[in-house]
């Protein structure tokens, strides 16, 4: 015999199929996701507990699986499912981005790289390598931080650029809990990387800093890292 929960689940699913998630409250959207990991329980109170525990809808998905599993009603499988969502979103957005296009401005490369930082909760540094036609030939993570701070080896930047046969490169990194504003260390590092790459005839085109859905280009901001 269908339970009250079964009827509620059916209505919530039908609402999503008809109208999408736009009109869902955060706890309802999370509740719907939990249907697929918790088949026999009322997931509404579990969704509320998660949001109350971590402070917001997005913070639930940024939480580590071991922290999620401490919440009543969350199993290991459920914790893994929740943790997958930001990374699935990143894969989806990266796949939609068309790397075959030529990069014509800092806004082009910023728009292309932005999805690569979705769901990243620690500082991550990415190297985008370009050929002499400004086409991206490689895009790789070259450093990830612990405690929100990544340490970048300038030699590793050079070695990776040489390995992929880059003519020009762009460095990008995120400020997971800050603003898209360069620090003094960012400015110094950019100059050092520029001159190291110049010594092997590779041009550092830009250093772009990301924070949530915002990004700032050092080159477009007027910072002249080409002068000692």
């Amino acid at each position: 015999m269908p339970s009250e929960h079964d009827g509620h689940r059916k209505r919530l699913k039908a609402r999503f199929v008809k109208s999408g998630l736009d009109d869902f409250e955060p706890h309802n959207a999370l509740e719907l996701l939990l249907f697929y990991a918790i088949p026999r329980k009322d997931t509404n109170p579990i969704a509320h507990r998660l949001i109350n525990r971590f402070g917001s809808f997005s913070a639930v998905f940024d939480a580590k699986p071991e922290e999620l599993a401490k919440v009543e009603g969350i199993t290991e499988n459920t914790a893994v499912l929740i943790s997958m969502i930001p990374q699935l979103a990143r894969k989806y957005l990266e796949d939609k981005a068309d790397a075959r296009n030529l990069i014509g401005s800092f806004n082009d490369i910023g728009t292309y790289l932005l999805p690569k930082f979705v769901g990243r909760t620690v500082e991550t540094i990415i190297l985008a390598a370009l050929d002499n036609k400004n086409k991206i030939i490689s895009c790789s993570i070259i450093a990830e931080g612990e405690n929100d701070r990544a340490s970048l080896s300038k030699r590793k930047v050079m070695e990776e650029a040489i390995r992929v046969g880059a003519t020009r490169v762009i460095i990008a990194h995120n400020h997971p809990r800050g603003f898209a504003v360069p620090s003094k260390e960012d400015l110094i590092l950019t100059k050092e990387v520029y001159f190291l790459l110049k010594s092997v005839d590779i041009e550092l085109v830009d250093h772009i800093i990301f924070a949530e859905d915002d990004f700032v280009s050092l080159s477009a901001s007027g910072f002249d890292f080409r002068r000692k």
Side-chain angles (χ1 to χ4, degrees):
M1 183 175 181
S3 68
E4 180 182 346
H5 294 324
D6 291 336
H8 174 66
R9 288 182 175 222
K10 187 174 181 180
R11 289 190 296 273
L12 205 60
K13 290 176 186 177
R15 179 182 164 194
F16 167 72
V17 170
K18 181 179 179 181
S19 305
L21 286 177
D22 289 343
D23 294 331
F24 274 55
E25 293 294 326
H27 70 274
N28 289 139
L30 186 53
E31 175 188 7
L32 178 61
L33 175 67
L34 294 176
F35 287 173
Y36 299 94
I38 306 173
R40 298 298 177 191
K41 290 184 179 179
D42 180 1
T43 59
N44 185 283
I46 300 174
H48 279 287
R49 282 197 290 270
L50 283 166
I51 292 173
N52 290 339
R53 165 69 175 79
F54 295 104
S56 70
F57 180 78
S58 59
V60 172
F61 294 99
D62 286 340
K64 295 180 179 180
E66 56 268 29
E67 293 300 317
L68 291 165
K70 294 177 182 178
V71 175
E72 181 185 350
I74 299 297
T75 64
E76 180 182 359
N77 284 344
T78 307
V80 170
L81 174 67
I82 293 170
S83 298
M84 284 176 62
I85 298 303
Q87 298 191 39
L88 286 171
R90 185 168 68 243
K91 288 286 186 185
Y92 169 79
L93 292 169
E94 286 177 349
D95 189 65
K96 285 179 72 70
D98 189 356
R100 294 170 298 177
N101 288 338
L102 303 185
I103 300 302
S105 68
F106 87 90
N107 192 64
D108 289 339
I109 188 65
T111 301
Y112 170 74
L113 289 173
L114 183 61
K116 297 186 180 297
F117 293 101
V118 170
R120 298 198 187 277
T121 57
V122 298
E123 187 170 285
T124 303
I125 303 174
I126 290 176
L127 181 71
L130 289 72
D131 64 14
N132 57 9
K133 295 181 179 179
N134 269 11
K135 180 181 177 182
I136 296 177
I137 56 175
S138 171
C139 196
S140 57
I141 295 172
I142 53 174
E144 287 185 284
E146 295 182 3
N147 300 320
D148 296 342
R149 193 69 186 165
S151 177
L152 178 63
S153 163
K154 296 184 289 291
R155 181 159 294 276
K156 185 172 182 180
V157 174
M158 182 179 70
E159 290 174 349
E160 178 65 11
I162 292 172
R163 186 187 71 81
V164 299
T167 302
R168 316 172 80 201
V169 300
I170 294 168
I171 296 174
H173 82 276
N174 62 329
H175 290 171
R177 292 175 178 81
F179 299 96
V181 177
S183 66
K184 182 179 179 181
E185 292 78 10
D186 292 334
L187 300 179
I188 293 171
L189 179 64
T190 305
K191 278 183 176 283
E192 291 176 346
V193 170
Y194 173 80
F195 285 104
L196 180 61
L197 290 173
K198 186 179 180 182
S199 71
V200 292
D201 295 321
I202 298 173
E203 180 187 2
L204 176 64
V205 178
D206 206 346
H207 185 170
I208 302 179
I209 299 166
F210 294 79
E212 295 185 349
D213 59 353
D214 189 23
F215 57 86
V216 168
S217 155
L218 294 193
S219 182
S221 298
F223 175 62
D224 189 359
F225 49 81
R226 297 168 179 82
R227 293 177 59 187
K228 289 188 176 178

